[in-house]
Amino acid sequence: MIYQKYSEAYSSVWMLMFMASLAISCNQKPTYDIIVRNVQIVDGTGKAPFTGDIAINSDTIAFVGENLEGRSNHTIDGTGLTASPGFINMLSWATVSLLADGRAMSDVKQGVTLEVMGEGVSMGPLNQSMKTQMSSNQGDIAFDINWTTLGEYLQFLEDKGVTPNVASFVGATTLRIHELGYENRPPTIEEMQRMKAMAAQAMEEGAMGLGSSLIYAPAFYAETSELIDLCKTVAEYDGMYITHMRSEGNRLLEAVNEVLIIAREAGIDSEIYHLKAAGKNNWPKMDAVIATLQDVGIMGVKVGANMYNYVAGATGLNASMPPWVQEGGYDEWARRLQDPAIRKKVIEEMKTDAQEWENLYYAAGGAENLLLVGFQNEALKKYTGKSLLAAAEEMGMTPEEAAIELVINDGSRVGTVYFLMSEENIKKQLQLPFMSFGSDAGAPAAEGDFLKSSTHPRAYGNFARLLGKYVRDEGVITLEDAIYKLTKLSADKLKIKRRGELKEGYFADLAIFDTANIQDHATFEEPHQYATGMIHVFVNGQQVLEDGEHTGAMPGRFVKGPGYRAGKN
């Protein structure tokens, strides 16, 4: 009896203690790693902004909403700022810049948290010949090639440390070079089987799909049927086809039709890289292109597009010369250009409004509209930032002759900016519901080896230019529409899970910026200038930009596509 009373008394005391502790815990506010308070939230869905709070635990968004009850050792006052999901760069050429500097300074300072690469050429799969060529063609940035497959390259970036997340398409050109080199012919049955097997392997390693760039040799030599066959393999893994079309000028409408045929025949979602109408004579065609793309759903296919926000593009002087002279790769191209008869024929074709190939020299309307920005030969760097016309005058040659000599003597295609597009078309394209955005550039820093060459200002300003010039200053589209296209729309196209929205349970990729002051500063004359107005950036829950300055953090991950199979790389 005494024991029973003692036990009952003990139980009562324990119950009182439990209830007291429960009451205390119920009144105790939850703890988060990071809290952003009183910030304007644009969540990526296209909904109207609202003022609220965001909380992060580890790499994940733990709360998005109003009146957060919680505490944190790291609280950011978001008053006067806007928070959105981190931006997705749908067309990045950060393949080499990330090897040299994993911070991705020019893009992170604009809020980019995912670089998507693979426009026709990807960093794998490689054979020994391709590795040798890649090593010999290196310019200002030298790097070791410590990978063979595309998945190994992307994993190498994550392991070495990069700030943004990374993803890539496998390049149709890369697959072709792997098996055919630079020959102008269709693949044999056996070569095609190996190309498809490599495409399948890339998808299982985490590639987003297949990328092509069809104005350039040797991609130019690929027939539509070849691309359909490769896309059928990629479609088995739910990947997408994304393409620099066969023409953006004289045969623009025909090129769009080819994309539709590939999409329909292969049963694959597709995307047009950097949609444009190149050359003044072709500017009126954009209305027909837009009408076609708006109606493709009737055909049972899904085709989108992305763009950069400038009237000039950038590529090489190879886009000024016919593909036939480039067959066999750079060495054969340079050798042929030294033959007087071939040189004469090339010059004649450069001056022609070609229909069978994409002549950007002619489309630009004159050598004064070509800006030379990338040389490997130190002796030629004096022409950096000059027009082809100005360089030709210094060289005592015609512009066509100068272009040929520069290609021969530089040992490269020579990086070139072409002024081709209209501002009116840019504004039309911005408003399209299926439009995403890509810089079509690397992610350099305004320092060190990156300053040895010029670049297109889109490398430093593409995303800030959208939010500053076209959203705030000109009101072409709304802020919530721009953010949707920079984030959720792109993530949905790529079939990426748990990214592209500010939503509980999603990865904590955030861009926090000042809408009143976000601004691009890079110009064609002085492109190495950072954008301003991006205040804080988080990648996978780690702060990589604080008060506009890079923290040095490298939390970027290899973001894998829908066909990923664990253990394949």
Side-chain angles (χ1 to χ4, degrees):
M1 183 64 69
I2 295 174
Y3 173 79
Q4 183 178 355
K5 289 182 178 180
Y6 175 80
S7 178
E8 290 173 352
Y10 178 81
S11 296
S12 298
V13 171
W14 183 88
M15 182 58 69
L16 288 171
M17 293 176 62
F18 172 76
M19 294 300 292
S21 65
L22 184 62
I24 292 171
S25 65
C26 287
N27 292 326
Q28 192 175 45
K29 295 179 180 179
T31 300
Y32 300 98
D33 293 340
I34 300 161
I35 293 177
V36 183
R37 290 197 179 277
N38 196 38
V39 68
Q40 176 177 253
I41 296 173
V42 185
D43 66 7
T45 64
K47 296 177 182 177
F50 67 94
T51 299
D53 308 315
I54 302 169
I56 297 171
N57 274 333
S58 185
D59 63 356
T60 303
I61 297 172
F63 179 91
V64 179
E66 300 177 4
N67 303 316
L68 170 65
E69 292 291 330
R71 56 191 179 88
S72 171
N73 291 327
H74 185 187
T75 297
I76 295 173
D77 181 3
T79 302
L81 301 177
T82 295
S84 77
F87 304 154
I88 297 175
N89 186 347
M90 281 290 282
L91 173 47
S92 170
W93 276 106
T95 44
V96 173
S97 64
L98 285 173
L99 293 171
D101 187 341
R103 295 176 298 169
M105 291 288 287
S106 64
D107 270 0
V108 168
K109 279 180 168 284
Q110 297 181 80
V112 172
T113 58
L114 173 59
E115 306 278 359
V116 184
M117 302 170 278
E119 183 197 359
V121 176
S122 55
M123 296 298 270
L126 306 175
N127 56 31
Q128 189 53 54
S129 174
M130 296 167 76
K131 289 184 179 182
T132 300
Q133 184 182 48
M134 186 180 289
S135 295
S136 64
N137 288 345
Q138 291 176 12
D140 296 331
I141 297 172
F143 55 93
D144 295 327
I145 303 169
N146 298 309
W147 63 88
T148 298
T149 71
L150 178 58
E152 289 170 352
Y153 163 76
L154 293 165
Q155 191 60 50
F156 176 80
L157 290 181
E158 179 180 321
D159 293 344
K160 77 175 276 292
V162 290
T163 294
N165 297 308
V166 292
S168 182
F169 289 80
V170 62
T173 308
T174 299
L175 298 177
R176 191 170 227 277
I177 293 172
H178 194 286
E179 292 302 308
L180 284 77
Y182 293 83
E183 296 182 34
N184 182 4
R185 63 172 177 83
T188 65
I189 293 174
E190 293 77 14
E191 287 167 340
M192 193 67 209
Q193 287 175 339
R194 290 194 292 269
M195 290 166 67
K196 292 171 71 174
M198 287 186 292
Q201 179 181 350
M203 293 302 297
E204 292 183 1
E205 289 181 337
M208 293 290 159
L210 182 78
S212 70
S213 50
L214 300 176
I215 75 165
Y216 306 108
F220 178 88
Y221 310 138
E223 297 178 358
T224 305
S225 58
E226 178 181 324
L227 297 167
I228 290 172
D229 281 348
L230 289 173
C231 282
K232 284 181 177 178
T233 296
V234 168
E236 293 175 4
Y237 294 91
D238 205 21
M240 68 183 298
Y241 173 59
I242 190 164
T243 180
H244 180 150
M245 297 186 296
R246 211 174 288 274
S247 174
E248 297 172 328
N250 289 345
R251 296 185 62 79
L252 173 61
L253 299 178
E254 293 85 346
V256 171
N257 188 56
E258 183 184 36
V259 177
L260 301 184
I261 290 170
I262 292 170
R264 183 179 65 246
E265 293 297 317
I268 193 169
D269 293 351
S270 301
E271 173 104 338
I272 297 171
Y273 277 127
H274 45 58
L275 182 66
K276 66 174 74 71
K280 189 172 183 177
N281 292 340
N282 297 307
W283 291 352
K285 295 178 181 178
M286 182 52 65
D287 289 340
V289 170
I290 290 173
T292 298
L293 293 178
Q294 288 175 329
D295 291 341
V296 293
I298 300 172
M299 301 171 58
V301 298
K302 187 176 180 181
V303 179
N306 58 63
M307 65 181 289
Y308 49 79
N309 310 305
Y310 296 84
V311 295
T315 180
L317 288 175
N318 54 326
S320 291
M321 301 182 200
W324 62 261
V325 78
Q326 301 175 52
E327 183 179 357
Y330 171 80
D331 290 341
E332 286 298 303
W333 175 26
R335 181 188 64 78
R336 289 191 188 101
L337 290 176
Q338 296 177 67
D339 182 311
I342 292 177
R343 181 186 292 237
K344 181 180 179 181
K345 185 178 179 183
V346 168
I347 289 173
E348 289 174 355
E349 293 197 27
M350 290 176 69
K351 296 177 179 180
T352 302
D353 189 11
Q355 298 297 313
E356 67 278 5
W357 63 281
E358 194 85 332
N359 186 351
L360 296 192
Y361 175 75
Y362 188 94
E368 68 275 14
N369 294 325
L370 274 66
L371 195 66
L372 304 171
V373 298
F375 292 97
Q376 293 185 15
N377 186 338
E378 289 292 331
L380 298 178
K381 287 184 181 290
K382 61 185 179 181
Y383 299 122
T384 299
K386 295 184 178 181
S387 70
L388 176 60
L389 180 62
E393 290 174 348
E394 287 189 32
M395 296 166 71
M397 301 177 177
T398 67
E400 299 82 12
E401 291 170 335
I404 289 171
E405 285 299 315
L406 291 172
V407 166
I408 293 171
N409 294 322
D410 194 58
S412 82
R413 66 177 192 159
V414 182
T416 308
V417 169
Y418 294 80
F419 289 85
L420 298 165
M421 286 79 77
S422 79
E423 184 70 17
E424 180 184 356
N425 279 342
I426 287 176
K427 292 178 180 179
K428 288 179 182 178
Q429 294 169 214
L430 288 172
Q431 299 175 63
L432 295 174
F434 51 78
M435 185 60 66
S436 297
F437 298 92
S439 68
D440 197 8
E447 59 188 70
D449 288 340
F450 293 111
L451 298 181
K452 293 180 179 179
S453 294
S454 187
T455 188
H456 192 298
R458 65 193 182 191
Y460 286 85
N462 191 62
F463 306 97
R465 184 176 178 83
L466 171 66
L467 298 175
K469 175 179 171 65
Y470 292 110
V471 172
R472 180 192 62 231
D473 298 343
E474 299 185 11
V476 178
I477 58 175
T478 64
L479 176 63
E480 53 266 36
D481 190 27
I483 296 301
Y484 164 69
K485 292 173 177 179
L486 285 166
T487 59
K488 177 174 168 52
L489 175 63
S490 297
D492 288 348
K493 289 177 179 180
L494 296 167
K495 301 179 178 70
I496 294 173
K497 304 297 184 184
R498 296 175 58 204
R499 297 188 194 273
E501 293 184 54
L502 292 184
K503 186 175 181 179
E504 293 178 15
Y506 275 47
F507 289 107
D509 297 339
L510 278 75
I512 302 173
F513 53 97
D514 182 349
T515 56
N517 291 299
I518 193 160
Q519 186 70 47
D520 64 305
H521 300 285
T523 65
F524 289 100
E525 295 75 23
E526 296 184 31
H528 290 289
Q529 299 187 79
Y530 294 124
T532 54
M534 186 61 58
I535 310 302
H536 308 295
V537 176
F538 291 83
V539 176
N540 298 315
Q542 293 191 41
Q543 189 162 10
V544 300
L545 199 73
E546 184 176 9
D547 295 325
E549 298 299 324
H550 204 294
T551 65
M554 303 280 190
R557 296 175 185 169
F558 170 9
V559 175
K560 300 171 179 67
Y564 173 67
R565 305 288 187 269
K568 287 294 180 178
N569 63 301

